[in-house]
DNA sequence: AACGTTACGGAACAACGTTCCGTTTGTCGA
DNA sequence: TCGACAAACGGAACGTTGTTCCGTAACGTT
């Protein structure tokens, strides 16, 4: 009880305003230039100095997480509900992966950042894994239990595999969704 | 015949010496720090100035290509020969992909560079594709003809897919070879 | 040996992430 | 309403990188 039950002491108005402006600006810049856009660009778009960016979001990864938190959450929920709305766990899995792929391919550079070994993105990595790995595990287990999914694939291999397949620039000769479909076919029980 | 059949006019001794030292140094630094190591590190290790690096290799990608050319060539040859030494085109494909994966996972950061949309790596991208795509196509076609491989997967999807699965830091929970195996299983004819 | 050419080295520039600190601005009690 | 203090701000400044540029040194030839 070092801090009792007291709530956070309500921040200053400009601080809240700037955080919100930063999130909006970052979302816009990420769409236009990808998640690796210069911090200065985001600061400029939000009408604040770079110092303000770093006060609100200690690392770039924190900003990325904040911008996409809602959508990651929605993706996790979609996975948790997927099993309830179909009688085939494999189809539930496929549907969920579809949602995940849609999310990744519309965020330029995000898949790359997710897989990056740059320690800068540690937080991003951790957040996605924390939130989505358990969901993947449950879908996988349901599939295995129903005899539809092979039992030697971990959720980590599923998520990182799909993530890896989503990396890279758009290209006519490479259909992400089709390739992910091939990967999923490889996960069917023999 | 603007230049006739005359050969290149033989470069200076120090130029040849430095190019060789640069290749050795780059190979060593790539092993130690990955293919994204600072150019200054490579120059220092080779005992030359940065200007010399850029004179010999206009872009970082040219240096990477030069360092790995032999191995990529060997990989391409292995693929061309794979079909001759087995009666199962699918196993030939699997064996070749194994060679490719071994190559990628031992080159820290190379898979990432290959998939990168940074125009800096355009040359690298082009070289790998030029050399390996035709090989993949032939292996795939042989597999399809034998009824062992599904006919709706392109060599681009094969190579970029496998490349994507090889991206990222080592991790106990993610077994690259196993995950690639799953992907390949998905490519079997139904 | 002298000369022209080739190649070298590293200073210099630009772009970026990140830190730091003098200044401004909210907030709250008097 | 006013004053004071903490919170938050802005952007200059620093370190690291890729890349260019040019005065200088080394090579090879006559």
């Amino acid at each position: 009880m070092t801090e009792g039950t007291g709530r956070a002491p309500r921040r200053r108005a400009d601080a809240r305003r700037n955080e919100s402006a930063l999130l909006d600006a970052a979302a816009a810049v990420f769409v236009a230039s990808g998640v690796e856009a210069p911090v200065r660009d985001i600061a400029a778009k939000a009408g604040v100095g770079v110092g303000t960016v770093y006060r609100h979001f200690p690392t770039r990864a924190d900003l990325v997480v904040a911008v996409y938190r809602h959508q990651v959450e929605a993706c996790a929920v979609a996975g948790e509900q997927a099993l309830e709305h179909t009688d085939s766990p494999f189809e539930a899995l496929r549907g969920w992966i579809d949602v995940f792929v849609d999310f990744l391919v519309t965020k330029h550079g995000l898949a790359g950042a997710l897989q990056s070994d740059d320690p800068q993105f540690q937080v991003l990595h951790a957040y996605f894994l924390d939130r989505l790995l358990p969901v993947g595990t449950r879908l996988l287990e349901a599939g295995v239990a129903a005899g539809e999914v092979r039992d030697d694939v971990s959720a980590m291999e599923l998520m990182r595999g799909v993530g890896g397949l989503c990396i890279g620039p758009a290209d006519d000769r490479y259909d992400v969704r089709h390739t992910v479909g091939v990967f999923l076919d490889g996960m069917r029980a023999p």
Side-chain angles (χ1 to χ4, degrees), chain A residues 117-185:
Chain A
D117 55 356
D118 187 333
Q120 174 181 49
F121 288 111
Q122 205 91 23
V123 170
L124 184 64
H125 212 98
Y127 174 66
F128 269 76
L129 256 31
D130 273 13
R131 204 61 193 86
L132 299 182
L133 227 36
V135 179
T137 300
R138 286 192 46 198
L139 283 163
L140 244 23
E141 282 171 352
V144 171
E148 291 184 351
V149 174
R150 57 196 280 182
D151 64 2
D152 67 339
V153 180
S154 68
M156 187 68 170
E157 289 171 336
L158 170 65
M159 303 311 295
R160 204 170 131 172
V162 172
L165 295 176
C166 291
I167 293 180
D171 183 317
D172 289 347
R173 292 115 86 209
Y174 185 72
D175 181 337
V176 173
R177 267 169 268 263
H178 182 247
T179 308
V180 170
V182 172
F183 182 50
L184 285 180
D185 286 343

Side-chain angles (χ1 to χ4, degrees), chain A residues 52-169:
Chain A
T52 300
V53 178
Y54 283 97
R55 190 160 325 92
H56 286 282
F57 306 99
T59 82
R60 168 205 290 299
D62 290 303
L63 182 53
V64 175
V65 168
V67 166
Y68 294 126
R69 176 158 267 144
H70 289 356
Q71 292 181 61
V72 174
E73 215 61 31
C75 182
V77 170
E80 283 157 2
Q81 296 177 338
L83 283 170
E84 303 169 17
H85 300 308
T86 173
D87 46 2
S88 161
F90 184 83
E91 289 310 318
L93 177 63
R94 191 206 294 283
W96 182 57
I97 291 299
D98 234 52
V99 171
F100 184 51
V101 170
D102 278 344
F103 172 62
L104 284 183
V105 299
T106 55
K107 273 78 197 173
H108 189 176
L110 179 57
L114 267 181
Q115 233 79 357
S116 164
D117 55 356
D118 187 333
Q120 174 181 49
F121 288 111
Q122 205 91 23
V123 170
L124 184 64
H125 212 98
Y127 174 66
F128 269 76
L129 256 31
D130 273 13
R131 204 61 193 86
L132 299 182
L133 227 36
V135 179
T137 300
R138 286 192 46 198
L139 283 163
L140 244 23
E141 282 171 352
V144 171
E148 291 184 351
V149 174
R150 57 196 280 182
D151 64 2
D152 67 339
V153 180
S154 68
M156 187 68 170
E157 289 171 336
L158 170 65
M159 303 311 295
R160 204 170 131 172
V162 172
L165 295 176
C166 291
I167 293 180

